[in-house]
Amino acid sequence: MKPKVIVYKKIDTTVLAYLSENCEVTYFETLDSQSLPSFYQELKNATGIIGSGLKVDAKLLDLAPQLKVISNISVGYDNLDMPEISKRNIMATNTPEVLNDSVADTIFGLLLATARRMPELNQLVKSGGWTAQVGEGLYGVDVHHKKLGIIGMGGIGSAIAKRAHFGFDMPILYHNRSRNTEAEQTFQATYYSLEELCQQADFICLMTPLTPNTVKLIGEKEFKLMKKTAIFVNGSRGATVDEDALVHALQNGEILAAGLDVFAQEPVSPDHPLLGMDNVVTLPHIGSATHETRLKMANLAAESLVIGLQGKMPQTLINQEVFAEVQ
């Protein structure tokens, strides 16, 4: 008998076909007020679930007593209550590495767009406001040869450093839980404390995972340490930044500008003060959102789910200690 699996996210038909070959699949393109009751009902007999964004906590797990594998189509897994999942000997997987380059492209593009004020100037042209030579009031700032500070030198942070070092001759400063000797050797990156990085960098990219230790990692103290000419870019999670402190820093000229792909509440409220600032460039959390990369992520997640349900250890298993327990 095939294991019963629930898909709770729209995925490519090829991925769905692969899952259907190996599992009995119940498919929800999205979870909303109409589909949630059916989803909860299906959880009773599910041995695996696959999707993204769903909060998986004790309350949900109580509805799924047969669950063996959770496959998260994302590199981040702050939506998963890992202690509770591990306590129940359920394997959880994510999709690291395959999205590194796509996210790095997005974040570096956001950095460039913010520095050179591209969205603002694009709107100027399209609205008919370009009636004369652009004056100093609309100038941006150079990116090349400026100091780039990366907070979180993991796979994505390293991919950003690669673009900055080889493409823009930017000195790389970084802060991480541990030293990244490969980044130091390959990109001549220099390790700094968080405080020193904030003081020294011209551009600051926040790329840490969301954990209890990184909630509001960047706040009033850190913004006050930054240069008045600094540009802050957040490509991690919205909750890693104190948004009120960011608003204050921008309004009071403590930093020059910000580029944001993430917000504390998503979708962000249209009346959020950050959305009314010309010196803030915003994106709707689309770091990995290309057709190619999302397909790679879904394929990896599906393969991890099937492997886990076959009693084997997925390469992307987050809680590897659980595998030993279930053997």
Side-chain angles (χ1 to χ4, degrees):
M1 182 181 295
K2 292 181 178 180
K4 182 175 174 55
V5 164
I6 301 174
V7 180
Y8 58 91
K9 174 184 176 66
K10 185 176 181 180
I11 58 175
D12 189 271
T13 55
T14 60
V15 182
L16 191 59
Y18 167 77
L19 286 171
S20 298
E21 288 175 7
N22 293 277
C23 310
E24 179 188 337
V25 176
T26 301
Y27 181 39
F28 296 91
E29 281 197 2
T30 185
L31 293 180
D32 53 28
S33 58
Q34 290 186 327
S35 60
L36 271 173
S38 297
F39 172 72
Y40 292 146
Q41 184 66 27
E42 294 292 339
L43 279 175
K44 293 180 180 179
N45 298 308
T47 54
I49 60 174
I50 177 171
S52 65
L54 178 68
K55 184 178 181 181
V56 181
D57 54 13
K59 184 178 178 181
L60 185 134
L61 292 171
D62 284 342
L63 301 174
Q66 308 299 320
L67 200 59
K68 296 179 180 178
V69 184
I70 299 165
S71 189
N72 215 39
I73 310 178
S74 170
V75 64
Y77 49 89
D78 47 278
N79 59 307
L80 306 182
D81 184 340
M82 289 306 302
E84 188 66 32
I85 291 168
S86 296
K87 185 174 73 174
R88 301 181 189 223
N89 288 330
I90 299 170
M91 290 187 283
T93 70
N94 64 340
T95 59
E97 306 303 330
V98 294
L99 47 63
N100 289 355
D101 282 323
S102 292
V103 176
D105 286 349
T106 300
I107 299 307
F108 209 87
L110 184 57
L111 185 154
L112 285 167
T114 306
R116 298 304 302 269
R117 302 171 66 174
M118 291 180 184
E120 184 182 357
L121 296 172
N122 171 67
Q123 188 57 38
L124 175 76
V125 175
K126 290 184 175 179
S127 65
W130 185 27
T131 58
Q133 185 175 4
V134 171
E136 291 184 9
L138 290 173
Y139 285 2
V141 297
D142 282 334
V143 174
H144 57 86
H145 297 99
K146 295 288 184 68
K147 294 178 181 178
L148 174 61
I150 300 174
I151 304 170
M153 189 64 87
I156 298 172
S158 294
I160 294 170
K162 177 180 179 180
R163 286 153 176 75
H165 175 70
F166 292 112
F168 289 80
D169 293 315
M170 301 178 80
I172 307 299
L173 293 60
Y174 81 98
H175 179 74
N176 205 47
R177 287 176 298 178
S178 56
R179 297 286 287 266
N180 187 326
T181 55
E182 183 177 353
E184 292 177 7
Q185 294 168 1
T186 306
F187 313 123
Q188 284 77 61
T190 304
Y191 179 85
Y192 282 81
S193 69
L194 181 60
E195 292 76 12
E196 291 172 326
L197 184 148
C198 289
Q199 291 173 325
Q200 296 292 326
D202 298 301
F203 294 88
I204 297 172
C205 284
L206 181 59
M207 302 306 302
T208 60
L210 178 59
T211 70
N213 292 329
T214 62
V215 172
K216 295 188 177 180
L217 178 67
I218 304 300
E220 180 180 0
K221 173 188 173 183
E222 289 71 30
F223 288 122
K224 286 185 180 298
L225 289 173
M226 295 179 192
K227 299 178 181 180
K228 292 185 181 299
T229 54
I231 290 178
F232 174 74
V233 177
N234 189 8
S236 58
R237 289 290 189 269
T240 57
V241 175
D242 183 336
E243 286 186 350
D244 291 338
L246 174 58
V247 170
H248 184 273
L250 289 161
Q251 289 176 336
N252 290 277
E254 292 174 5
I255 62 173
L256 180 64
L260 308 171
D261 186 38
V262 290
F263 294 85
Q265 177 184 329
E266 296 181 356
V268 64
S269 174
D271 61 358
H272 195 295
L274 288 169
L275 274 57
M277 298 180 177
D278 288 337
N279 58 339
V280 178
V281 179
T282 60
L283 294 175
H285 201 156
I286 51 92
S288 64
T290 68
H291 292 293
E292 300 94 330
T293 295
R294 288 293 171 88
L295 180 57
K296 290 177 184 176
M297 292 168 66
N299 273 320
L300 177 57
E303 290 168 2
S304 297
L305 180 66
V306 170
I307 289 170
L309 291 173
Q310 290 174 345
K312 305 171 186 176
M313 187 172 80
Q315 289 186 346
T316 60
L317 185 61
I318 301 165
N319 50 349
Q320 296 190 13
E321 71 280 2
V322 167
F323 184 73
E325 292 292 330
V326 299
Q327 293 305 296

